[in-house]
Amino acid sequence: MSDESRLRETICQFGRSLFERGLTAGSSGNISIRLSDGGWLTTPTNSSLGFLDPARLSKLDSDGRLVSGDAPTKELPLHSALYATREDAGAIVHLHSTHSVAVSMLPDVDPANALPPMTAYYVMKIGRTALVPYYRPGDPAVADAIRGLAGKYSAVLLANHGPVVAGKDLEAAVYATEELEETAKLRLLLHGLNPRLLTRAQVRDLVTHFKLDEAIAEEAPDESQDCCSLPHHHSHTCG
């Protein structure tokens, strides 16, 4: 099996897994993988992640032109922008997962830090999540919003839409997307209950031990601010 054939199968396998576990419904969500020649494989427009055909995946050249397969997802602009600003990104997952979408609709979310450091695995797999304003699905303007983040985030929440997560390969991107969804679920379960977050010292320990981005520790709450307050509290640390 060629490397490209293996990647096609991988997209279909992970797509079916995400669909069957209810992480994205109907024909929502899309996946892409960056190829060694700079081109991409992506899921086609209006396709269900649960029923992908490896032979019909969209293959694009390095300029984003369709080489073979069905017409690509209309969300190419957001994939393109994230690849352009995250050189280490080998794959991107975009879902309409329920809890992540719900968090993107809350009035008290900090755009620079949409989810607080609630668990070690959120810090380890994602670090920080940005929230960008609402754009119509497929709107090229979303690319400018993502480029404006200057590659500082591997995970982005699109307001009233869903998460977009980059990883070094598809497995990493999928696992990070799942961790983001679980953290969003915790955020909603504990909203307004004054939960205890990881402190800055605890986050810094994770950053040092796992060699993560130093900026993650800088954004963590101080020890005196390690709890989220009421639902309409607008603290930078509690999102």
Side-chain angles (χ1 to χ4, degrees):
M1 180 182 290
S2 70
D3 188 53
E4 183 179 317
S5 296
R6 179 183 59 80
L7 293 176
R8 287 175 179 268
E9 292 289 345
T10 300
I11 288 175
C12 296
Q13 289 167 358
F14 275 111
R16 176 176 284 276
S17 174
L18 292 166
F19 177 83
E20 289 181 343
R21 289 179 292 133
L23 286 163
T24 205
S27 62
S28 67
N30 34 81
I31 295 170
S32 68
I33 288 181
R34 182 148 52 180
L35 300 173
S36 58
D37 64 1
W40 318 332
L41 289 174
T42 75
T43 49
T45 187
N46 294 322
S47 61
S48 168
L49 294 190
F51 302 93
L52 296 170
D53 179 348
R56 296 181 63 179
L57 295 179
S58 312
K59 183 177 181 179
L60 309 172
D61 65 18
S62 58
D63 294 320
R65 292 187 294 255
L66 183 64
V67 174
S68 64
D70 292 349
T73 171
K74 60 180 168 292
E75 302 287 13
L76 280 184
L78 64 90
H79 287 254
S80 176
L82 204 48
Y83 281 128
T85 55
R86 298 281 302 187
E87 292 184 0
D88 60 340
I92 292 171
V93 175
H94 166 47
L95 302 180
H96 295 181
S97 43
T98 303
H99 300 90
S100 297
V101 175
V103 166
S104 81
M105 298 165 65
L106 294 175
D108 58 338
V109 174
D110 179 359
N113 208 19
L115 287 166
M118 304 186 79
T119 68
Y121 271 83
Y122 172 75
V123 173
M124 292 157 57
K125 292 190 177 295
I126 299 163
R128 299 176 300 157
T129 303
L131 175 72
V132 302
Y134 172 79
Y135 293 90
R136 183 187 71 251
D139 186 346
V142 74
D144 293 332
I146 290 177
R147 287 192 183 94
L149 298 174
K152 295 178 181 177
Y153 298 85
S154 63
V156 178
L157 273 183
L158 308 177
N160 301 73
H161 188 164
V164 188
V165 181
K168 63 181 177 61
D169 54 29
L170 185 53
E171 180 179 75
V174 168
Y175 290 172
T177 305
E178 292 173 343
E179 195 64 41
L180 178 63
E181 175 67 2
E182 289 303 307
T183 306
K185 187 187 297 185
L186 286 173
R187 170 77 164 82
L188 295 169
L189 285 170
L190 296 169
H191 198 49
L193 296 180
N194 206 31
R196 181 177 59 255
L197 306 180
L198 297 181
T199 65
R200 181 171 293 179
Q202 290 167 335
V203 172
R204 184 170 294 284
D205 173 64
L206 291 168
V207 167
T208 301
H209 186 80
F210 293 102
K211 297 178 173 58
L212 307 175
D213 182 357
E214 287 288 337
I216 296 170
E218 297 305 316
E219 294 291 333
D222 292 322
E223 278 71 4
S224 61
Q225 298 175 309
D226 63 345
C227 296
C228 281
S229 189
L230 298 173
H232 297 292
H233 183 60
H234 287 262
S235 132
H236 176 75
T237 57
C238 295

